[in-house]
Amino acid sequence: MPAIQPDLQQMLGNVQPIVVANRAPLALEAADVFRGTPERLVRGAGGLVTALSSLAASTHALWVAVARDDSDRALAARGDPADLVTEDGLTYRVSFVQPEPQAYDLYYSSISNPLLWFIQHYLWDLAREPIVDTATRYAWREGYLRVNQMVADRVIAQARASSRPALVFVEDYQLYCVPGMVRAVLGDVRIQHFVHIPWPTPQYWTILPTPIRDGILQGLLGADVVGFQTRRDVRNFLFTCEENLGLVVDLRGRTVLYEGRTVRVRNYPISIDVDGLLAQARSDEVLAEEALLLSWRPEKLILRVDRTDLSKNIVRGFLAYERMLENHHELHGTVQFWAYLQPSRQDIDDYRAYLGSVLSIAARINRQFSRGGWTPIRVEVDDVWARALAGYRQFDVLLVNPIYDGMNLVAKEGVVCNQRDGVLVLSENAGSHEELGDFALSVNPFDVDETAEALYLGLMMDPVQKVARAERIRETVRAADITRWIALQLQDLREVIG
Ligand code: GDG
């Protein structure tokens, strides 16, 4: 956990923080009778939970989440809100909203993931998809709006029950309408909404029917501050308000005038807990994984660590590597590309098909180039964080080439943990490029020739330059770590609170 926690309460002053996110900060892991392990209450994985957990646990914030499955419902049965203590000793106050399974499915699997995730990462082949129809409008109304309203109602009830004024932090694309719904009832409540994924151009938003795209903007503008990862997202949001809603925006002051209120629009690049991560990267579990890795690692190791998400651009990464092998026969036998991939959203057809093409392209390249016991690509589809951290320690080149990405924490984590002054090859469309682009090898993620050349340059870079670049990235991440991400948001909110 970051060392700044005691200051957070002070920075917040006399308020009741309420964190609102699709997921709770913890999860119940069922007992395993075969292994003899008991039921465990564990802190959730992932950047968002780590970042907000420090805020929630140290300020006694209330966390409002949506119950996703039976184990969330079992936790919800423990009280509303329930005081839940994870096995690492932290207490969270969690209030679960429990939509009917059909409403949850429409909210999550019809609108949030296929529609909003796709639009915000420019993932469609527009000549063919999406097809917007009655089913889309139904899912919006009966799923997305319904669940957002349930969440908003819970926030309103909790804010009213508190003796202190509420300060509401809403997270991400599943809950865009919550700020507007809360504002409609509690006119003077303070709300911040943080969007973790990219904000596309106004034109791209017009793919959605007017009530949906306007509903999203109007919902967000219920907040006092709308936060994004990058300056580009802030600009796109301001332009979207201007072009699609005809609102008055101040591009220099980064504000929107909406219903007589001034809404601030700011960028807060999310980051990592550097010390916590480094401690974990030196744990026995990671060192054991590293020893395994050392038993097979090639002379030159290219690594990627990603969820199997369409936005991560895994296939073009392999095609670029293939191009590099075609151009540089001298590297055959000495280099290997390790793709360590976490299965993601396998309930969605497009995602299953995508993982299928990732595996088949890798197999084709391996068939074409393998010789004398050398396999050019090693693909592992698994979810062992310690193994990812071992990979971070050992890479020579880390490939992070998303089509578009809000931030991409792998880029930050990887270089911070690396023991070989490895080189970062980074997509110009990853949010982290705004901070790290000058010290990485930048690539256009669609250009496989350029990416092939960057992989080669990364492998061949002279040690002095490698050290200089890695050092600058480490300094940059350390100076703007997760503590700063939270502190910047609190500073801005203090201005709003006055
Ligand atoms: C979204 C946005 C934004 C890695 N291997 C395993 C594992 N990891 C962890 C990494 C990292 C996280 O998963 C991935 O975070 P990213 O930021 O790279 O990407 P998204 O999942 O798409 O996150 C993104 C982020 O939200 C935060 O705002 O940066 O742009 O898309 O922390 O260390 N986790 C587990 N098993 C592994 O094997 N559980």
Side-chain angles (χ1 to χ4, degrees):
M1 300 285 286
I4 40 95
Q5 292 157 39
D7 297 333
L8 292 178
Q9 184 71 63
Q10 205 189 339
M11 287 191 76
L12 281 169
N14 184 34
V15 296
Q16 169 61 57
I18 302 180
V19 175
V20 189
N22 179 53
R23 287 190 179 203
L26 37 72
L28 192 61
E29 277 186 9
D32 186 332
V33 280
F34 295 109
R35 289 192 189 147
T37 49
E39 181 182 270
R40 300 164 65 209
L41 197 51
V42 292
R43 186 143 67 98
L48 186 149
V49 165
T50 311
L52 291 166
S53 286
S54 56
L55 179 77
S58 62
T59 60
H60 308 290
L62 176 76
W63 190 301
V64 176
V66 184
R68 297 175 299 150
D69 51 22
D70 285 344
S71 42
D72 278 355
R73 281 186 278 274
L75 290 177
R78 296 190 187 180
D80 180 27
D83 282 316
L84 302 170
V85 186
T86 52
E87 60 179 12
D88 55 3
L90 293 171
T91 304
Y92 296 95
R93 301 190 68 210
V94 186
S95 176
F96 280 100
V97 169
Q98 299 188 66
E100 319 79 68
Q102 199 221 355
Y104 182 83
D105 201 51
L106 293 171
Y107 147 83
Y108 193 72
S109 304
S110 295
I111 299 291
S112 300
N113 283 341
L115 205 68
L116 298 180
W117 182 270
F118 270 58
I119 203 165
Q120 295 196 236
H121 293 85
Y122 300 91
L123 287 179
W124 283 307
D125 172 3
L126 284 185
R128 297 185 180 78
E129 50 180 3
I131 292 174
V132 175
D133 60 8
T134 314
T136 319
R137 290 186 186 82
Y138 181 80
W140 172 255
R141 211 175 46 244
E142 298 302 325
Y144 195 86
L145 287 182
R146 201 180 171 108
V147 174
N148 273 243
Q149 189 65 60
M150 288 176 81
V151 171
D153 290 346
R154 185 65 57 85
V155 171
I156 293 163
Q158 294 294 340
R160 282 185 168 148
S162 167
S163 56
R164 293 177 287 158
L167 181 56
V168 184
F169 297 88
V170 189
E171 298 303 310
D172 231 357
Y173 61 100
Q174 299 93 352
L175 300 170
Y176 282 147
C177 296
V178 168
M181 289 167 169
V182 173
R183 174 78 55 208
V185 178
L186 302 177
D188 59 354
V189 70
R190 296 301 175 209
I191 309 174
Q192 195 238 38
H193 191 118
F194 185 80
V195 180
H196 290 253
I197 61 178
W199 191 269
T201 61
Q203 296 83 346
Y204 206 69
W205 279 106
T206 64
I207 293 166
L208 294 182
T210 312
I212 300 186
R213 66 184 196 238
D214 288 0
I216 288 171
L217 281 181
Q218 287 157 348
L220 277 170
L221 290 168
D224 297 286
V225 182
V226 184
F228 292 96
Q229 303 273 23
T230 66
R231 294 189 293 272
R232 167 150 73 179
D233 300 323
V234 168
R235 278 196 302 275
N236 280 346
F237 182 77
L238 292 168
F239 289 139
T240 310
C241 290
E242 189 175 47
E243 285 188 30
N244 294 4
L245 277 190
L247 296 173
V248 174
V249 307
D250 174 351
L251 292 175
R252 295 193 72 187
R254 297 181 299 162
T255 57
V256 185
L257 199 58
Y258 184 65
E259 295 189 333
R261 289 180 305 110
T262 300
V263 179
R264 293 162 158 83
V265 187
R266 298 286 183 267
N267 64 305
Y268 309 106
I270 201 166
S271 192
I272 58 172
D273 168 12
V274 172
D275 293 329
L277 180 72
L278 286 175
Q280 239 161 342
R282 290 187 209 105
S283 67
D284 291 346
E285 205 188 344
V286 172
L287 297 182
E289 287 288 349
E290 188 179 30
L292 277 176
L293 200 170
L294 288 171
S295 70
W296 62 260
R297 71 152 290 151
E299 187 189 322
K300 296 176 193 303
L301 178 65
I302 299 175
L303 172 72
R304 79 172 307 140
V305 175
D306 280 303
R307 288 186 300 106
T308 54
D309 196 287
L310 279 71
S311 65
K312 302 294 181 182
N313 208 19
I314 301 165
V315 170
R316 284 195 194 84
F318 287 156
L319 296 178
Y321 177 66
E322 177 184 36
R323 207 58 59 96
M324 188 196 81
L325 293 178
E326 282 164 2
N327 296 341
H328 297 283
H329 287 246
E330 71 281 10
L331 289 176
H332 293 198
T334 63
V335 64
Q336 194 172 34
F337 186 153
W338 179 28
Y340 188 56
L341 307 175
Q342 290 73 62
S344 185
R345 301 180 189 166
Q346 290 300 296
D347 54 322
I348 301 177
D349 291 346
D350 277 345
Y351 278 67
R352 278 200 306 277
Y354 186 67
L355 178 53
S357 37
V358 164
L359 296 174
S360 67
I361 300 268
R364 179 183 64 68
I365 295 171
N366 280 341
R367 272 197 307 277
Q368 191 178 339
F369 290 93
S370 291
R371 65 167 164 79
W374 171 63
T375 312
I377 303 180
R378 178 187 178 105
V379 185
E380 235 177 301
V381 182
D382 209 339
D383 192 0
V384 181
W385 200 48
R387 196 166 304 156
L389 292 181
Y392 286 170
R393 288 171 67 88
Q394 283 292 324
F395 70 80
D396 297 295
V397 169
L398 178 65
L399 177 61
V400 177
N401 66 326
I403 290 170
Y404 288 95
D405 213 332
M407 176 54 57
N408 196 296
L409 293 176
V410 170
K412 294 185 174 182
E413 294 167 350
V415 180
V416 162
C417 293
N418 188 252
Q419 300 295 302
R420 299 168 67 90
D421 296 312
V423 176
L424 175 64
V425 172
L426 184 59
S427 162
E428 60 194 0
N429 293 338
S432 47
H433 195 268
E434 273 192 6
E435 292 167 277
L436 309 182
D438 286 348
F439 322 119
L441 296 178
S442 300
V443 291
N444 168 347
F446 304 99
D447 186 338
V448 292
D449 285 328
E450 188 182 80
T451 308
E453 186 60 14
L455 290 175
Y456 178 71
L457 289 176
L459 291 175
M460 294 300 146
M461 192 178 284
D462 78 84
V464 177
Q465 216 193 119
K466 280 172 65 176
V467 172
R469 284 174 183 262
E471 193 48 45
R472 294 299 297 277
I473 293 178
R474 286 192 291 262
E475 279 167 12
T476 306
V477 176
R478 194 173 264 291
D481 69 353
I482 195 66
T483 308
R484 192 169 143 82
W485 182 69
I486 294 176
L488 287 176
Q489 294 175 65
L490 295 186
Q491 263 168 27
D492 283 351
L493 280 166
R494 258 210 319 213
E495 267 181 43
V496 176
I497 294 165

